[in-house]
Amino acid sequence: MEIILLIIVFVFFFALVFLMIKYLFIPFLFAPKLSSDDVIEFLENQELVFVGERGLNKEESKLNPFEYKKGISFRKMYSVRKEFIVVGYSVSKKKYTFYWAELTRWYVFYMKYIFEILSSQAIGSSENLIFKKIEDSNLIDKLTNEFKSPIKLIKDNCPGCDCSIDEKTLECPNCGLNLIIKG
């Protein structure tokens, strides 16, 4: 009887430690962060100017844009995933374009290779960024209202302090003004 009780305590303790590591420690240390260079490069390939990005709210998360199944999966066990909305602006069309962005980071590096073998899906690097254009017209209208602001194209000087800047600068080094730049 004591052995069974000892096994139950051990399993409970092991499960508690596993859950703490999985849902507290790993997301805190390994949470993926969206690189503005990757986003800007993607948008420039689409002939768009970077306007902004943000994480999904509860309503948008429920839409499940990348069509993941709920429940436990091998991918969820060994990776941390975060989703964003990325906004680009077409100067020629004077129109906003919105994308879902998913950033996945494998925190146990060799598990990525095991997942590739088991699922026959090539993942690539230990951190993957996937973009998917938003097609839902109701969501596009909400996002347009949220991100709609007067767009001023800047080439060489900050409009706030007249400091000279280059074409890739997103924030004025002198006054800290956020800039949207057209090269």
Side-chain angles (χ1 to χ4, degrees):
M1 185 69 169
E2 291 177 11
I3 294 175
I4 293 174
L5 184 61
L6 188 62
I7 291 172
I8 291 172
V9 168
F10 177 76
V11 169
F12 176 76
F13 179 75
F14 179 76
L16 184 64
V17 168
F18 174 79
L19 291 173
M20 287 176 57
I21 289 171
K22 170 71 176 130
Y23 293 104
L24 296 176
F25 177 69
I26 289 175
F28 181 71
L29 291 179
F30 294 100
K33 292 180 179 50
L34 196 57
S35 165
S36 60
D37 292 338
D38 293 338
V39 172
I40 290 171
E41 180 182 337
F42 171 78
L43 291 174
E44 284 178 351
N45 290 338
Q46 307 299 318
E47 298 179 2
L48 298 170
V49 177
F50 177 78
V51 173
E53 53 90 4
R54 67 166 174 79
L56 302 184
N57 60 32
K58 286 184 180 181
E59 181 182 310
E60 294 160 350
S61 295
K62 289 178 184 176
L63 296 174
N64 193 8
F66 292 95
E67 300 169 4
Y68 285 107
K69 295 177 182 170
K70 294 186 181 203
I72 298 173
S73 71
F74 187 85
R75 176 184 285 254
K76 289 179 186 176
M77 293 290 289
Y78 297 105
S79 67
V80 177
R81 169 174 77 89
K82 197 164 182 185
E83 296 174 345
F84 305 89
I85 290 180
V86 175
V87 185
Y89 183 74
S90 173
V91 177
S92 61
K93 297 177 184 174
K94 298 189 184 333
K95 180 181 173 187
Y96 289 94
T97 305
F98 303 96
Y99 292 92
W100 302 107
E102 177 203 52
L103 184 59
T104 304
R105 174 181 275 172
W106 291 84
Y107 53 84
V108 180
F109 189 68
Y110 64 87
M111 293 310 259
K112 173 185 84 77
Y113 296 113
I114 294 171
F115 179 77
E116 286 178 337
I117 292 168
L118 293 175
S119 68
S120 301
Q121 293 178 355
I123 293 177
S125 69
S126 62
E127 191 167 286
N128 298 343
L129 180 59
I130 301 170
F131 291 96
K132 184 176 180 182
K133 190 172 182 179
I134 297 177
E135 303 290 343
D136 181 7
S137 61
N138 291 333
L139 183 57
I140 290 173
D141 291 342
K142 287 180 186 176
L143 292 171
T144 301
N145 289 336
E146 179 182 336
F147 284 97
K148 194 173 193 174
S149 63
I151 302 246
K152 184 169 185 174
L153 300 177
I154 302 162
K155 285 193 166 202
D156 54 0
N157 288 345
C158 171
C161 66
D162 207 34
C163 172
S164 66
I165 55 172
D166 66 5
E167 292 183 359
K168 298 287 183 194
T169 306
L170 295 177
E171 184 176 300
C172 177
N174 190 34
C175 70
L177 181 68
N178 288 327
L179 307 170
I180 298 175
I181 300 161
K182 172 70 176 158

